[in-house]
């Protein structure tokens, strides 16, 4: 009876987009363990398994207190057998054998090193590993021909694997702002991605560009890119996003930047779609499809029942269309 009285099970809604998840939460050790297994699955090109671990981690991040016993997890969504075994291992032993052996494994380490090259995904890394290539030195010695993105990625490997700080993000924001207003006065630049969610470091800096007059943003990206090239800021660029900016601080360093241009009529959808987190976005689309028969993208929201697009001028309006409580960016850290 005492035990029953002591155990108060938590309750969490099914979809991550229904939860408020701040950067700081009460279950870092457990969430980190599950996130590492998610990362390993994603690096192994097993996205389904990756999402399952990400969803489990996002449930733990939403809990109001630290988990101390398995009984507290009764009835929680998204916790499959595998995730529960990992959690139990951490609660019982302080660490999970599977997580620790994954971290130490040659394969995981090689996948991390090789996918750390910009332009190298899980499939390419796996192919190289099957040829015995585990390090950058072995890759260079192998004589493999790298595409332009990968060559640039290898050349700036250390810079691009160094986390970007908020201060660097702000400095780059000023450069982008200058470029954008130089080629199109009145255009607006918004910081998106992890920094908009309040993160203090990121793997890149994400910007969304628009102009308050519909249509004025047309053809803007190539103009912004050539301005940046002329000023000597751009090291490498690929179509509409994934550019590298060289920030002109001392010493110079390369930073990954995602630039996206959106017509103002789509701005709210682009803002919501590029703010993340990736799991939050995935869950929003899953909620829209399964619960509301709607299709959400970073361009629009389509209502299948009404057979029409739903307009929105703000993120708040999109949440309202979806029948969801508004979650501010700082609480989208699923
Ligand atoms: P990322 O820059 O990959 O992630 P992040 O900013 O959350 O984290 P980090 O600090 O490591 O950079 O992606 C930002 C958001 O953009 C994320 O929600 C996914 C979203 N996004 C894409 O990455 N690609 C796309 O094509 C679209 C539409 C959105
Ligand atoms: Mn980012
Ligand atoms: Mn990005
Ligand atoms: Mn698109």
């Amino acid at each position: 009876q005492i035990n029953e009285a002591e155990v108060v099970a938590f309750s969490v809604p099914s979809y991550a987009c229904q939860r408020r998840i701040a950067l700081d939460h009460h279950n870092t050790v457990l969430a980190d363990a599950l996130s590492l297994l998610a990362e390993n699955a994603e690096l192994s090109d097993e996205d389904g398994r990756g999402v399952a671990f990400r969803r489990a981690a996002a449930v733990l991040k939403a809990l109001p207190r630290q988990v101390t016993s398995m009984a507290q997890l009764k009835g929680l969504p998204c916790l499959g057998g595998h995730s529960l075994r990992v959690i139990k291992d951490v609660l019982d032993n302080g660490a999970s054998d599977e997580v620790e052996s994954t971290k130490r494994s040659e394969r995981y380490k090689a996948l991390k090193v090789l996918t750390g090259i910009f332009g190298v995904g899980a499939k390419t890394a796996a192919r190289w590993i099957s040829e015995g290539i585990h390090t950058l030195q072995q890759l260079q010695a192998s004589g493999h021909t790298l595409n332009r993105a990968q060559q640039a990625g290898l050349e700036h490997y250390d810079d691009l694997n160094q986390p970007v700080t908020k201060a660097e993000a702000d400095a780059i924001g000023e450069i982008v702002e200058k470029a954008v207003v130089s080629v199109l006065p009145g255009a607006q630049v918004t910081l998106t991605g992890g920094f908009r969610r309040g993160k203090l470091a990121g793997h890149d800096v994400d910007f969304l560009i628009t102009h308050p007059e519909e249509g004025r943003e047309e053809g803007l990206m190539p103009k912004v890119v050539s301005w940046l090239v002329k000023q000597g800021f751009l090291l490498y660029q690929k179509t509409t996003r994934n550019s590298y900016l060289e920030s002109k601080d001392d010493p110079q360093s390369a930073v990954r930047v995602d630039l996206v241009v959106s017509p103002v009529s789509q701005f709210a959808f682009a803002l919501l779609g590029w703010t993340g987190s990736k799991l939050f976005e995935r869950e929003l689309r899953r909620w829209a499809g399964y619960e509301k028969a709607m299709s959400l993208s970073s361009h629009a929201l389509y209502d299948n029942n009404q057979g029409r697009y739903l307009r929105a001028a703000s993120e708040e309006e999109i949440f309202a269309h979806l029948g969801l409580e508004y979650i501010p960016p700082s609480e989208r850290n699923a």
Side-chain angles (χ1 to χ4, degrees):
Q1 254 184 344
I2 287 167
N3 281 337
E4 274 172 40
E6 279 176 346
V7 172
V8 180
F10 299 118
S11 151
V12 167
S14 304
Y15 291 82
C17 56
Q18 297 173 288
R19 309 175 201 142
R20 295 173 174 272
I21 301 180
L23 279 171
D24 281 323
H25 60 84
H26 306 278
N27 287 285
T28 318
V29 174
L30 290 173
D32 285 353
L34 293 167
S35 299
L36 186 124
L37 296 181
E39 182 195 29
N40 185 54
E42 288 157 3
L43 290 173
S44 306
D45 208 22
E46 297 175 22
D47 287 343
R49 263 159 55 82
V51 172
F53 285 126
R54 296 261 174 230
R55 285 208 186 112
V59 166
L60 298 177
K61 291 180 193 176
L63 299 178
R65 278 189 309 284
Q66 192 183 338
V67 174
T68 51
S69 81
M70 294 301 286
Q72 295 169 315
L73 303 178
K74 232 183 133 220
L76 288 180
C78 310
L79 298 179
H82 197 155
S83 293
L84 287 171
R85 278 201 304 283
V86 173
I87 295 168
K88 183 168 184 338
D89 214 4
V90 175
L91 292 181
D92 289 350
N93 309 309
S96 144
D97 278 344
E98 186 181 1
V99 171
E100 295 311 309
S101 67
T102 300
K103 274 192 216 168
R104 283 192 308 266
S105 76
E106 282 308 312
R107 189 181 167 78
Y108 172 77
K109 285 192 268 186
L111 285 167
K112 287 276 278 187
V113 167
L114 297 174
T115 59
I117 305 169
F118 176 68
V120 175
K123 286 196 179 71
T124 303
R127 187 155 33 83
W128 289 342
I129 290 170
S130 74
E131 297 168 16
I133 298 168
H134 287 208
T135 66
L136 300 184
Q137 289 76 7
Q138 289 168 339
L139 176 63
Q140 271 161 326
S142 73
H144 274 293
T145 317
L146 303 182
N147 66 32
R148 255 173 30 79
Q150 295 163 346
Q151 281 170 30
L154 204 50
E155 195 177 326
H156 299 282
Y157 188 86
D158 290 335
D159 273 358
L160 297 180
N161 283 287
Q162 174 101 12
V164 187
T165 64
K166 180 66 167 66
E168 287 175 299
D170 290 338
I172 290 166
E174 281 175 31
I175 296 170
V176 171
E177 182 105 27
K178 201 162 168 219
V180 166
V181 299
S182 299
V183 301
L184 180 64
Q188 290 160 5
V189 178
T190 307
L191 185 65
T192 63
F195 288 111
R196 182 163 183 253
R197 302 197 308 276
K199 282 177 66 178
L200 297 174
H203 93 287
D204 69 356
V205 196
D206 307 279
F207 295 103
L208 179 58
I209 303 164
T210 194
H211 190 285
E213 252 174 84
E214 184 84 3
R216 292 286 301 280
E217 81 295 338
E218 270 173 44
L220 180 55
M221 185 65 83
K223 288 180 196 155
V224 171
V225 166
S226 40
W227 189 95
L228 290 167
V229 168
K230 247 184 253 153
Q231 303 284 321
F233 283 117
L234 214 55
L235 294 172
Y236 173 84
Q237 61 105 5
K238 171 179 108 186
T239 62
T240 56
R241 42 186 293 251
N242 290 329
S243 322
Y244 295 174
L245 280 194
E246 182 170 14
S247 70
K248 284 225 164 142
D249 16 291
D250 200 35
Q252 297 204 342
S253 68
V255 173
R256 273 186 67 166
V257 175
D258 271 348
L259 300 177
V260 178
V261 173
S262 165
V264 70
S265 61
Q266 299 177 10
F267 179 80
F269 297 100
L271 184 61
L272 181 58
W274 286 90
T275 295
S277 68
K278 285 203 176 86
L279 183 68
F280 190 89
E281 302 294 337
R282 183 185 272 273
E283 293 283 278
L284 271 178
R285 294 193 298 270
R286 193 165 70 94
W287 167 273
Y290 280 84
E291 304 296 330
K292 299 287 158 180
M294 294 180 185
S295 325
L296 175 68
S297 76
S298 57
H299 306 283
L301 177 63
Y302 185 78
D303 185 327
N304 290 297
N305 291 330
Q306 297 188 53
R308 67 180 184 98
Y309 286 97
L310 304 180
R311 305 177 70 82
S314 66
E315 289 181 318
E316 284 84 345
E317 285 179 44
I318 303 173
F319 280 88
H321 283 318
L322 290 169
L324 286 169
E325 189 187 322
Y326 176 70
I327 310 281
S330 62
E331 293 179 307
R332 296 181 202 160
N333 287 295

